Amino acid sequence: MNYIKRFYISSFLHITLYSGFYLIYLQSLGLSKTQMGFLMSLSLILVALLEVPTGIVADKISKKASVLLSKILMVPSVLVLYLTHSFLDILIATLFGAFSVAFLTGAETGWIYELISREGKTEDYPKVYGRIRSLEMMGSFIGTLTGGFLADFVGMKLTILLTLPFVIASLLVLVTIPKDTVRSELSYHSHLLESLKFIKKSPEIAWLFLYANLIGASVIPFTSFMQLYFYKFLVSLTTVSSISAFHTLVNSISWYLDTDRYKGVLYRYAWIALPLLLFLAGFNRWLGFVTLTLGTFIFAQAFKEWQKKFQGIVPDEKRATLGSFYSLTAAITNGLLTAFLGWLFDHMGIMRGLAILALPFLVTGFLTIKYLAFTPSSS
């Protein structure tokens, strides 16, 4: 079994049994939508603050070690969530989760790309990346669907605890994969300054950061509160968890498929397609299923193309750091947006809030496409 297959297995073991009812669990503990929005926002902002330091550590010490540490930190996160009795407990679980994500992002993709590049197979990276994300989503699909049924029969708390064996199994598989070898020889601060200079001297990097942040921000308003969106008119843990499972299945298929013939079109017009789908979800509750399906597919295809462009222009010794810089900007953008969403949906309702939020994204999309028509090299 080669190392790519082991990455595939580890990704498939990303089975989080509570992902389909997480917000409902928080709601059962008495948290308001504002508090939920705050927790999600805090998690994203903490990840943002930790991204660059953890990325530099990965480039200077080991990307593999960073990924393994990420898996280890998931253990206390799950345990505290299981034992929680208060908002403070959930806050602690959120902190562990944020550290886990920070050590993973940038390091994982950089580790994979370096191993592939050793064999001169960088052209295979988009396909490998897509397969990894696809199998991760497939594991999430199984976990979400199973978790919903388990929660109805044994309760949400015990279902949360049953996530731990999958976290440990994924960690053990990753241990067997060859480590990365390229290291930055610069000091921490010098490495950071050189990475910043690289971004400043590369307009393409800045453009790619902007692109990924905007298409991500036009998806977050629906996906971040999707469970509560559907729970409002489909009042069943099993049903909502099944919808979440369906979402992960669509996600898995979307990452797995390669639309070579249309990838350029999807990448170019995701700016406007995604906010249009966001508006449809706010216009009619049943159209939320259309947004769930098409929005997931378009985002996955556009982001795979983005990954190919991004990884192809970043040096090996800066890959985790620059990947973390992107994650930092995405975490800040999504964190601030999610905090605002919690407040907006509390005061205006989810559907009306989605329809209103879609409008500025649509305007931005139209203006961007018009700009790209005059500067095609930027696309």
Side-chain angles (χ1 to χ4, degrees):
M1 181 184 294
N2 62 37
Y3 64 87
I4 292 298
K5 290 181 180 177
R6 278 172 270 171
F7 272 119
Y8 289 164
I9 293 171
S10 175
S11 294
F12 179 75
L13 289 169
H14 186 76
I15 295 176
T16 309
L17 294 172
Y18 56 86
S19 60
F21 58 80
Y22 175 69
L23 292 183
I24 298 170
Y25 176 65
L26 297 188
Q27 185 172 265
S28 74
L29 295 172
L31 272 69
S32 67
K33 294 184 183 68
T34 300
Q35 287 176 310
M36 294 180 208
F38 168 77
L39 284 170
M40 289 187 283
S41 173
L42 176 64
S43 176
L44 290 167
I45 291 173
L46 280 173
V47 170
L49 295 175
L50 295 167
E51 280 290 356
V52 175
T54 56
I56 293 174
V57 168
D59 276 331
K60 289 186 61 61
I61 299 176
S62 170
K63 297 178 182 68
K64 177 179 179 177
S66 183
V67 173
L68 295 181
L69 181 57
S70 168
K71 294 291 182 179
I72 292 170
L73 288 169
M74 273 300 297
V75 174
S77 178
V78 173
L79 282 175
V80 174
L81 189 62
Y82 162 70
L83 296 169
T84 185
H85 292 289
S86 67
F87 177 80
L88 179 61
D89 294 334
I90 300 169
L91 180 61
I92 294 171
T94 300
L95 293 175
F96 276 114
F99 272 95
S100 175
V101 172
F103 276 104
L104 180 68
T105 52
E108 182 193 38
T109 52
W111 181 18
I112 296 167
Y113 192 88
E114 182 183 325
L115 293 179
I116 291 175
S117 65
R118 287 184 198 171
E119 300 178 4
K121 297 181 178 179
T122 55
E123 284 299 314
D124 291 340
Y125 177 76
K127 182 174 72 174
V128 172
Y129 177 81
R131 299 294 188 271
I132 286 172
R133 293 285 80 84
S134 174
L135 288 164
E136 180 182 312
M137 291 299 106
M138 184 58 70
S140 295
F141 166 73
I142 293 172
T144 302
L145 193 61
T146 304
F149 285 107
L150 284 173
D152 271 336
F153 286 101
V154 303
M156 290 186 281
K157 278 188 172 291
L158 181 57
T159 304
I160 290 171
L161 185 63
L162 292 173
T163 294
L164 279 180
F166 300 104
V167 176
I168 295 170
S170 178
L171 169 66
L172 294 176
V173 172
L174 287 169
V175 168
T176 68
I177 299 175
K179 64 181 181 180
D180 52 299
T181 57
V182 177
R183 301 284 184 270
S184 172
E185 300 301 326
L186 299 172
S187 67
Y188 179 96
H189 292 94
S190 296
H191 180 83
L192 176 61
L193 289 174
E194 286 298 316
S195 298
L196 288 170
K197 288 178 182 177
F198 184 84
I199 295 174
K200 184 178 180 180
K201 294 177 180 178
S202 177
E204 189 175 357
I205 284 285
W207 175 258
L208 287 170
F209 277 20
L210 176 63
Y211 175 88
N213 273 277
L214 284 177
I215 65 168
S218 62
V219 170
I220 285 293
F222 179 75
T223 56
S224 60
F225 284 86
M226 185 177 67
Q227 292 172 16
L228 299 183
Y229 174 92
F230 287 111
Y231 192 65
K232 190 172 180 64
F233 65 98
L234 298 170
V235 188
S236 164
L237 279 178
T238 299
T239 303
V240 173
S241 291
S242 296
I243 292 171
S244 294
F246 174 71
H247 177 235
T248 58
L249 177 61
V250 172
N251 225 335
S252 177
I253 294 171
S254 299
W255 286 109
Y256 187 86
L257 291 175
D258 290 315
T259 55
D260 290 336
R261 186 177 176 182
Y262 303 104
K263 64 182 179 181
V265 175
L266 292 174
Y267 179 80
R268 188 177 183 88
Y269 290 98
W271 299 94
I272 190 168
L274 293 173
L276 180 59
L277 289 168
L278 187 67
F279 178 80
L280 292 178
F283 180 75
N284 182 282
R285 61 190 183 185
W286 295 105
L287 289 176
F289 289 100
V290 177
T291 302
L292 181 155
T293 306
L294 289 181
T296 299
F297 177 77
I298 292 171
F299 178 81
Q301 295 300 316
F303 197 78
K304 278 201 296 185
E305 183 66 10
W306 182 90
Q307 272 284 342
K308 178 182 177 181
K309 293 175 182 291
F310 178 77
Q311 298 290 348
I313 61 175
V314 175
D316 283 337
E317 72 279 3
K318 293 183 174 66
R319 188 158 283 118
T321 303
L322 292 174
S324 293
F325 267 120
Y326 157 67
S327 297
L328 182 151
T329 61
I332 291 175
T333 300
N334 294 337
L336 294 175
L337 179 59
T338 303
F340 172 70
L341 290 173
W343 174 86
L344 180 69
F345 293 161
D346 253 342
H347 290 80
M348 190 171 289
I350 294 177
M351 290 188 62
R352 186 179 297 178
L354 290 174
I356 292 173
L357 281 168
L359 298 178
F361 285 119
L362 279 169
V363 172
T364 302
F366 275 117
L367 292 176
T368 302
I369 290 173
K370 185 176 180 180
Y371 169 76
L372 291 176
F374 293 99
T375 57
S377 61
S378 297
S379 63

